[in-house]
Amino acid sequence: MHARAMDDYSAVIAMLNHTWFGAELSPETQERLARLGELQDFEADEVILHEGDDAREMGILISGRLALRTLVPERGPVTILSVEPGDIFGWSAVLADTQAQSTVVATQPSKALVIEGIRLRAALKDDHALAASLYPRVLKAVARRLRATRLQLLDLFAR
Amino acid sequence: MITSPAPSQTAAARQWFLGRGDLDALVEAIRATGRRVIGPTIREGAIVYDEIQAAADLPAGWRDEQSAGRYRLERRNDERVFGYTVGPTTWKRFTFPPNLTIATSHRTSFGFEQHIDPPPSVAFVGVRACEIAALGIQDRVFLGSQFTDEDFRARRAAAFIVAVQCTTCSSTCFCTSMGTGPEVRGGYDIMLTEIEDGFVMAAGSPDGAAIVAKLPTRKPTHAEAGSAVDKVEAVRTQMGEPLPMAGIGERLKLQLDHPRWGQVADRCVECGNCTMSCPTCFCTSVVEKSDLDGKNSSTERQWDSCFDVAFAKVAGGDFRARPRDRYRQWLTHKFSSWWDQFGSSGCVGCGRCIAWCPVRIDVREELAAIAPPIPPVVHPVAVEPVAASPGTYSLARLASIRSETEDTTTLSLTDLDPAFLAGRPGQFVMIALPAFPAVPISISRFRADHIDLTIRAVGPTSTALDNLHPGAKVGLRGPLGTFWPIEEAYGRHAVVVAGGVGLSPLHGLVDALVANRDRFESVSLFYGSRTPEDQLFREDLAAWSSSKAIDVAVTVDRAGPEWKGRVGVVTTLFDMISWDCSKVTAFVVGPERMMQSSVQGLISKGVPADRICVSMERHMECGIGLCGHCQMAGRFVCKDGPVFRLDELGDMFNREGI
């Protein structure tokens, strides 16, 4: 992982504008997010979060691809979902005292805006405008994931 | 013998009188032409149609007492020969036998030969007006489209019809409501109307006139001719006011969610009596029987019933799993979608389904409850037999076979009838092997002198096909069905959405889109499969991905850590859509639930419903709509599909149990 200095927030805001998660946020909220987070680069195969660890960070993927994996006895790690640019990972960090639901691995060189959970929760508590903008998007991301997981559970292509 | 109904005026123009005691002369004269004579007889307390040797075999002096769930024979106080109505058997038993070997095959060094036995010459004596209408309806079903049942055609052509006008009726009769009786309007060789001492006769064909000429007849008196007319008219009066049938088809379509469907299903025991005793029901199943070495086999067809729990079990699962769905299918087919399919009602008002229902379900009551009455307007419909064209199998040679996945292979066929090469993407063929039932398979690719069929080995036929070696011969019929309307995507963003083996019927479409790339704003393929190993056409996917003609995005539902691509259902790929979706034309194939999710996803993105095409290929069965299994929302998927525009299916696409 390689963190970059955040002295030019406009570049981060420009990147957010290319994601479905951040594109329609107000300029003020975009800047708040940019200031809260840290732009990080991940190498291919780099593990970002471990399943079961405390959920300390939430990220908005700017580029690249991440895999959400879970360990299945006798089958090893199974990728259950890939995260594409624009989507979030580590959403559990929005809640206090939660654990990561899956292991997050970069499957190719990736860039993300990573926000520490403690700072994010404190900001959401203090800044109602930020909370009103962010919570629906987090909920949308979780709902999309839930819907996709349901379809996967149906095992549509089963013989 | 009859190919078109004779007008009633012709029947009335020349009449004869035959004494009751001379009826045997009629039977003898017909038998002298070499025909087996089939007529009403008494067996196990019911009037059934069977072979007779003489007029004495006919049930003289009997009447029937029928009501919902009840049938009894009683003695008459006279000796009338046709003083009853219809029993549990129908004439289709002889034109469309319940069990029939439709072909035998013998494998040769060059492929296989098929043999079909010619039908026997028969005469039907005692055919009622409603039953003639039923034969005419089956003419339309079996002979009225480009796909025909040649066995039925031969049996119909070999049948001499002696019609009998009804001079009595049961409480279950409602032919006047369906416009089929009680008077016979045509479709006979000879027509009888039984009066006090004999029969007023008319001839409806040259063969009929030739038989009449051999009988000891005389000209009927005015009183006798008048009595014949009066007795038939009395039956009409006895049946009472016709049921309000006007608009019943549309009215039923508006009541697909009526609670009565569930209520009647609670009573229905799904015995299938209504379909087995119906003179027009035509659904069948085909089984293949063979020697152990597979050199000699027979193809056997059996009547089937849409009430059977497994009737709607197709490759895509059981799409009519609930009893209410099956009852709704039967009733709406008879009185609504039959019109859409064949231009007539599927009911002739004979009342058999009422009398022989063990729980006394009366179709008339159900219609009145589900689609409430409107002012009665009856439109008598003369159901005319129509011309036909034959459909046959031709041989093709397996040029090569290629494994796509663990259980899926692509057969490349050559030495084809040129018609196959002129097919369009989205169409399919019926492929046959001796000793195995023919199966419908979409054409996955058209080449200069080959077509490709991609087959997943899930049943006996597909497994046998999977085990063929190059050089093997297969039988093909087709190309069949509707095709992708590629022209409707000209100037637009063409989006292809495929799930699993659903990429197979889309492969030819993708080829066509790429070949005509300049005609489209953009071309995209979204493809989802269960695992990376389940992806079809991996070489083609790689070639398409590396070309600039088409954007390819693939995803899998699950994968191991070695997979670096996308993981998630195919709808997650729609996030990549950045165009004005009102300018998208989409083509979707996959498992039903995947198609539903994909269609919902596309519509939520703004793609118009009339710009989304789906293929219901997993519903296909016999390939030509004759077996009835593929019916969905009043359409035969084999014949009217498999490619449909979403707006053609409307809300039927997502409706359970249609």
Side-chain angles (χ1 to χ4, degrees):
Chain A
M1 177 178 66
H2 173 67
R4 289 182 179 168
M6 296 289 288
D7 50 357
D8 183 2
Y9 299 114
S10 61
V12 180
I13 291 169
M15 291 176 192
L16 280 176
N17 268 323
H18 282 93
T19 68
W20 72 261
F21 189 89
E24 293 177 9
L25 292 172
S26 67
E28 296 76 19
T29 305
Q30 287 178 335
E31 184 174 339
R32 187 79 202 274
L33 274 181
R35 289 179 181 277
L36 275 172
E38 184 178 56
L39 208 55
Q40 296 184 4
D41 291 311
F42 304 99
E43 296 175 1
D45 298 325
E46 182 175 346
V47 177
I48 300 168
L49 280 171
H50 280 284
E51 180 179 2
D53 284 358
D54 288 343
R56 291 189 301 270
E57 298 169 337
M58 187 191 88
I60 303 167
L61 187 64
I62 304 295
S63 65
R65 175 174 297 146
L66 311 178
L68 305 186
R69 292 179 182 159
T70 192
L71 196 62
V72 181
E74 299 182 18
R75 285 175 59 188
V78 173
T79 302
I80 52 174
L81 194 69
S82 60
V83 177
E84 305 296 325
D87 211 342
I88 61 174
F89 61 93
W91 62 266
S92 302
V94 173
L95 308 171
D97 302 324
T98 55
Q99 286 73 44
Q101 302 297 303
S102 55
T103 296
V104 181
V105 183
T107 54
Q108 52 185 249
S110 303
K111 183 190 299 292
L113 180 67
V114 179
I115 307 169
E116 196 177 348
I118 292 174
R119 295 188 69 195
L120 177 63
R121 291 194 296 273
L124 289 169
K125 190 174 180 181
D126 295 342
D127 186 341
H128 292 183
L130 175 69
S133 297
L134 216 61
Y135 276 129
R137 281 168 174 74
V138 172
L139 194 59
K140 180 181 175 183
V142 173
R144 279 157 48 98
R145 206 158 292 180
L146 181 62
R147 192 161 55 241
T149 305
R150 280 179 179 161
L151 290 173
Q152 280 176 306
L153 280 174
L154 291 176
D155 201 7
L156 299 177
F157 306 119
R159 296 168 183 82
Chain B
M1 294 296 294
I2 300 303
T3 54
S4 63
S8 56
Q9 298 91 316
T10 304
R14 184 81 192 272
Q15 293 187 329
W16 295 270
F17 177 82
L18 181 71
R20 184 171 291 117
D22 293 323
L23 186 60
D24 202 42
L26 173 62
V27 177
E28 270 305 308
I30 297 171
R31 281 166 55 84
T33 62
R35 297 176 184 280
R36 288 172 57 211
V37 178
I38 314 292
T41 62
I42 294 180
R43 192 172 70 215
E44 297 178 13
I47 303 283
V48 297
Y49 300 142
D50 207 344
E51 183 163 5
I52 62 171
Q53 307 298 324
D57 294 338
L58 296 167
W62 288 94
R63 62 186 291 272
D64 52 8
E65 171 71 35
Q66 298 192 45
S67 58
R70 178 182 164 83
Y71 180 96
R72 297 286 186 278
L73 286 183
E74 297 171 355
R75 290 299 305 191
R76 294 179 64 93
N77 55 10
D78 58 32
E79 287 301 309
R80 292 204 182 184
V81 181
F82 299 104
Y84 42 83
T85 59
V86 295
T89 53
T90 59
W91 297 105
K92 77 176 182 184
R93 177 171 289 275
F94 305 97
T95 53
F96 171 57
N99 292 287
L100 177 70
T101 299
I102 55 177
T104 56
S105 299
H106 173 65
R107 190 191 291 272
T108 70
S109 56
F110 301 104
F112 57 90
E113 296 172 345
Q114 287 193 309
H115 174 71
I116 301 173
D117 290 326
S121 289
V122 294
F124 300 156
V125 173
V127 187
R128 308 303 174 117
C130 62
E131 297 180 311
I132 288 179
L135 289 169
I137 287 174
Q138 288 212 320
D139 286 345
R140 286 188 171 226
V141 171
F142 293 126
L143 306 175
S145 74
Q146 69 184 113
F147 306 116
T148 58
D149 183 329
E150 293 304 310
D151 181 81
F152 176 86
R153 184 198 301 280
R155 289 175 189 275
R156 274 290 270 146
F160 184 92
I161 305 288
V162 179
V164 169
Q165 297 206 97
C166 285
T167 54
T168 184
C169 75
S170 299
S171 71
T172 50
C173 293
F174 60 109
C175 64
T176 53
S177 301
M178 304 313 299
T180 61
E183 69 280 0
V184 174
R185 300 194 188 94
Y188 58 84
D189 295 288
I190 292 175
M191 180 177 72
L192 306 177
T193 309
E194 188 165 24
I195 58 174
E196 285 72 14
D197 299 319
F199 308 91
V200 174
M201 302 179 71
S205 73
D207 285 351
I211 294 289
V212 171
K214 297 174 183 172
L215 305 179
T217 58
R218 62 171 170 77
K219 186 178 179 182
T221 65
H222 285 296
E224 288 166 340
S227 177
V229 172
D230 290 346
K231 287 185 186 308
V232 175
E233 196 54 36
V235 167
R236 176 180 293 282
T237 305
Q238 197 178 339
M239 259 186 271
E241 279 293 311
L243 300 172
M245 299 301 291
I248 190 68
E250 293 307 312
R251 301 182 73 81
L252 279 170
K253 285 189 175 92
L254 296 172
Q255 300 296 340
L256 296 179
D257 295 317
H258 198 289
R260 183 86 174 199
W261 298 117
Q263 293 160 9
V264 68
D266 287 342
R267 296 169 58 201
C268 177
V269 295
E270 300 193 83
C271 63
N273 269 9
C274 48
T275 54
M276 294 297 127
S277 63
C278 175
T280 66
C281 275
F282 61 89
C283 291
T284 55
S285 285
V286 173
V287 295
E288 195 79 10
K289 296 181 178 176
S290 80
D291 295 344
L292 286 176
D293 62 5
K295 287 183 177 173
N296 296 292
S297 67
S298 62
T299 307
E300 300 187 6
R301 186 190 69 194
Q302 300 162 348
W303 286 359
D304 204 345
S305 171
C306 54
F307 280 97
D308 189 287
V309 291
F311 183 82
K313 190 172 183 182
V314 295
D318 188 348
F319 62 90
R320 214 174 284 128
R322 300 175 301 183
R324 60 177 293 170
D325 300 330
R326 295 193 282 275
Y327 189 85
R328 181 176 61 189
Q329 159 63 21
W330 178 72
L331 196 74
T332 56
H333 189 211
K334 285 288 169 197
F335 293 93
S336 180
S337 52
W338 205 294
W339 281 101
D340 305 329
Q341 296 166 344
F342 305 112
S344 77
S345 169
C347 175
V348 295
C350 71
R352 286 180 174 91
C353 60
I354 302 169
W356 294 95
C357 176
V359 293
R360 292 187 279 183
I361 294 172
D362 187 330
V363 67
R364 297 168 296 187
E365 292 175 4
E366 299 311 315
L367 286 171
I370 293 167
I374 57 174
V377 180
V378 179
H379 301 288
V381 177
V383 181
E384 298 183 18
V386 292
S389 61
T392 56
Y393 280 92
S394 65
L395 284 179
R397 181 173 61 84
L398 179 59
S400 64
I401 184 165
R402 183 176 66 252
S403 176
E404 300 288 350
T405 69
E406 186 181 9
D407 62 358
T408 307
T409 52
T410 294
L411 309 182
S412 193
L413 300 172
T414 190
D415 295 344
L416 299 154
D417 185 298
F420 293 102
L421 300 171
R424 300 281 300 271
Q427 290 191 291
F428 66 102
V429 299
M430 292 298 293
I431 182 166
L433 279 178
F436 293 94
V439 292
I441 301 290
S442 291
I443 301 171
S444 55
R445 198 163 193 189
F446 296 88
R447 301 170 189 264
D449 55 355
H450 293 66
I451 59 169
D452 285 358
L453 307 180
T454 301
I455 296 168
R456 181 191 256 184
V458 291
T461 305
S462 51
T463 302
L465 290 166
D466 188 38
N467 288 316
L468 291 178
H469 295 288
K473 297 285 180 64
V474 298
L476 287 184
R477 182 151 47 92
L480 300 165
T482 52
F483 46 83
W484 298 112
I486 188 170
E487 296 81 3
E488 292 187 15
Y490 285 171
R492 301 171 61 82
H493 299 285
V495 173
V496 178
V497 185
V501 291
L503 184 57
S504 172
L506 289 165
H507 191 303
L509 172 70
V510 173
D511 287 339
L513 293 171
V514 170
N516 296 278
R517 177 64 184 82
D518 293 344
R519 292 179 179 271
F520 309 100
E521 191 69 26
S522 69
V523 177
S524 302
L525 168 64
F526 298 134
Y527 179 39
S529 62
R530 193 185 199 205
T531 69
E533 293 74 29
D534 291 317
Q535 283 181 345
L536 296 184
F537 312 125
R538 269 173 269 186
E539 289 180 10
D540 296 323
L541 286 171
W544 289 332
S545 293
S546 60
S547 81
K548 293 181 179 177
I550 177 171
D551 295 319
V552 179
V554 299
T555 185
V556 297
D557 273 9
R558 62 194 64 172
E562 69 285 352
W563 173 254
K564 305 299 181 189
R566 293 171 183 267
V567 179
V569 292
V570 70
T571 50
T572 60
L573 299 176
F574 296 167
D575 288 344
M576 301 169 67
I577 294 177
S578 57
W579 326 289
D580 175 359
C581 280
S582 68
K583 294 179 180 174
V584 165
T585 296
F587 307 93
V588 184
V589 189
E592 287 69 19
R593 194 64 184 83
M594 169 261 164
M595 286 204 288
Q596 289 167 9
S597 300
S598 297
V599 164
Q600 286 167 4
L602 290 167
I603 289 176
S604 69
K605 286 273 184 185
V607 181
D610 62 358
R611 295 289 186 171
I612 299 175
C613 300
V614 298
S615 174
M616 307 303 294
E617 59 153 12
R618 303 216 308 175
H619 283 245
M620 297 183 305
E621 189 78 16
C622 77
I624 51 179
L626 286 184
C627 80
H629 283 254
C630 68
Q631 286 185 82
M632 192 193 76
R635 294 170 185 273
F636 292 107
V637 172
C638 287
K639 195 165 59 174
D640 304 325
V643 174
F644 294 98
R645 252 185 14 217
L646 195 64
D647 61 323
E648 293 179 289
L649 297 175
D651 67 346
M652 303 299 177
F653 180 66
N654 281 324
R655 188 182 286 271
E656 182 183 3
I658 285 293

